[in-house]
């Protein structure tokens, strides 16, 4: 490997070992930060000009030179060197080759330590904004589906056993609520990401009269960091993001599990669009829910990255350590995995087709209106525990004759409790059971539509 001059090489008497040079280089992955590195450098150059360290000609040359490099990188014409280790030194070395001495002045008052911390924060801020856009798009699809299927009855489950009848729309809005919290959680995380480390230098600040507030404003940060040691060395903002990403992937994994179950022959509740499924190389009849299955699997990948970053940081003394080079690959992969998973879900959900009759028939099989019968008896004056026992006997009677509660005769029911009247059948039907829960947040179709309307207003109401 050809040795290149290191910007830090003045005190060294021998070249870096070729293996060590490759082992310690980060350019293969941190070049992804190039645009953010250039953004930070342009802002830093403008500030150096503002405080008199760069004259106008030098500042203009640096800005122009960095923009030329940015275009070369965008066009794929930039030559990256492992010998120059990372994105920062590659760009700085090329700038100096292109514009001469002024390029050597750009690094005044900063270190790669505060430079990379700034790059990562700029990168992550943009990624959070994109991820929130995908979450909102998925929420829109779920709300649309909820409105369309507000009357579609399905069984609600606990312990994967039929519990009470609900509607498919109500179920979709439960998913929406989870995503709404995910959206807000990322917004909270963004506040702590949006703090500018630049000007902290290596660890102790700098004697130059840097105008950090000016740079912060140029880069759109909320404020400069308050402690130089902390600013260059901690990655808790990235860990917090990965934790939020892990929660989102947990939610997507739960959604995926239900979609996978619902598409199976044993459930048959929905059809997924062909464009999001694959077939079998040997079984011609198969339609496999590969997208939900893959997202379910990718959740573990994101969990692993969270633990990798926690482990990375757990024993580091202040301030910066080379360990932190290992923060980028887990962070980048978390971002990519999350964006792609949300994108897949947002594209798939508008085309999900509920099989209404199959869901309704399934709700009839598990004595889903038993709780409604107990509530009916309580309304007639019976204590709930006594009502619970009466309904348990009614279920036994239904099981013995392979009949639903709504198929039991009035005399049979009255033999269990004399307070039962003919109006009992209003709550023993699936429609009656669903409609009876007519409180805000309930399963009554009008309440589902109302909840969907409120969810859409929240989504489109300029939330931050």
């Amino acid at each position: 490997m050809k040795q290149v001059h290191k910007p830090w090489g003045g005190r060294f008497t021998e070249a870096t070992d070729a293996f060590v040079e490759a082992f310690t280089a980060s350019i293969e992955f941190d070049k992804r930060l190039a645009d953010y590195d250039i953004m930070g450098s342009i802002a830093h150059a403008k500030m150096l000009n503002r405080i008199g360290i760069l004259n106008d000609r030098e500042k203009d040359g640096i800005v122009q030179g960095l923009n030329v490099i940015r275009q070369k990188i965008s066009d794929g014409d930039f030559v990256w060197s492992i010998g120059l280790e990372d994105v920062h030194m590659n760009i700085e070395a090329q700038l100096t080759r292109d514009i001469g001495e002024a390029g050597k002045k750009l690094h005044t008052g900063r270190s790669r330590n505060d430079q990379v911390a700034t790059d990562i924060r700029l990168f992550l801020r943009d990624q959070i904004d994109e991820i929130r856009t995908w979450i909102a798009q998925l929420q829109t699809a779920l709300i649309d589906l909820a409105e369309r299927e507000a009357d579609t009855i399905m069984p609600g489950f606990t312990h994967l056993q039929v519990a009470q009848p609900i509607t498919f729309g109500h179920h979709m809005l439960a998913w929406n609520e989870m995503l709404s919290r995910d959206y807000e959680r990322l917004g909270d995380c963004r506040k702590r990401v949006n703090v500018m480390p630049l000007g902290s230098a290596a660890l102790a600040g700098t004697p130059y009269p840097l105008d950090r507030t000016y740079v912060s404003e140029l880069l759109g940060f909320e404020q400069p960091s308050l402690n130089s040691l902390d600013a260059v060395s901690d990655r808790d903002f990235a860990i917090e993001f990965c934790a939020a990403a892990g929660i989102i992937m947990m939610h997507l994994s739960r959604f995926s599990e239900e979609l996978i179950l619902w598409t199976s022959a044993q459930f048959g509740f929905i059809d997924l669009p062909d464009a999001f499924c694959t077939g079998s190389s040997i079984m011609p009849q198969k339609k496999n829910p590969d997208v939900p299955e893959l997202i379910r699997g990718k959740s573990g990948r994101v969990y692993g990255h969270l633990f990798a970053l926690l482990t990375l940081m757990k024993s580091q003394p202040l301030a910066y350590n080379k360990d932190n080079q290992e923060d980028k690959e887990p962070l980048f992969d978390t971002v990519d995995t999350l964006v792609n998973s949300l994108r897949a879900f947002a594209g798939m959900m508008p085309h999900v087709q509920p099989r209404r009759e199959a869901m309704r028939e399934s709700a009839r099989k598990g004595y889903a209106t038993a709780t409604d019968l107990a509530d009916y008896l309580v309304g007639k004056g019976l204590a709930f525990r006594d009502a619970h026992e009466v309904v348990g006997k009614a279920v036994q009677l239904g099981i013995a004759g392979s009949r639903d509660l709504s198929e039991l005769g009035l005399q049979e029911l009255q033999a269990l409790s004399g307070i039962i009247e003919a109006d009992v059948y209003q709550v023993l039907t699936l429609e009656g059971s669903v409609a009876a829960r007519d409180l805000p947040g309930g399963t009554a179709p009008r309440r589902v539509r109302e909840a969907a309307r409120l969810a859409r207003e929240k989504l489109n109401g300029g939330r931050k």
Side-chain angles (χ1 to χ4, degrees), residues 51-85:
I51 65 173
I53 290 177
L54 295 177
N55 61 40
D56 289 347
R57 179 181 55 80
E58 290 170 328
K59 181 262 292 182
D60 291 343
I62 288 172
V63 172
Q64 182 179 359
L66 287 170
N67 281 324
V68 169
I69 291 172
R70 172 187 276 154
Q71 189 61 51
K72 285 183 178 179
I73 293 171
S74 178
D75 294 341
D77 294 333
F78 190 85
V79 179
W80 299 99
S81 168
I82 289 180
L84 287 169
E85 300 175 11

Side-chain angles (χ1 to χ4, degrees), residues 279-322:
S280 166
S281 63
I282 187 173
M283 296 170 283
Q285 83 281 10
K286 294 295 293 298
K287 180 180 175 180
N288 299 324
D290 278 15
V291 168
E293 288 177 349
L294 193 56
I295 291 172
R296 183 178 60 181
K298 285 180 180 293
S299 63
R301 181 185 189 122
V302 172
Y303 298 168
H305 293 326
L306 170 60
F307 277 91
L309 290 179
L310 286 167
T311 305
L312 176 71
M313 292 303 303
K314 74 177 183 64
S315 299
Q316 286 195 42
L318 290 171
Y320 183 86
N321 300 278
K322 187 67 169 177

Side-chain angles (χ1 to χ4, degrees), residues 178-197:
M178 299 179 204
L179 290 170
S180 183
R181 292 191 296 274
D182 291 331
Y183 185 98
E184 293 168 2
R185 193 175 290 112
L186 282 176
D188 290 338
C189 175
R190 191 187 190 279
K191 296 174 185 176
R192 285 173 286 282
V193 169
N194 202 30
V195 176
M196 190 196 72

Side-chain angles (χ1 to χ4, degrees), residues 5 7 69 78 84 87-98 103:
H5 173 71
I69 291 172
F78 190 85
L84 287 169
V87 62
H88 323 294
M89 291 204 302
N90 268 265
I91 290 173
E92 182 183 319
Q94 185 62 51
L95 179 68
T96 301
R97 287 194 293 269
D98 290 347

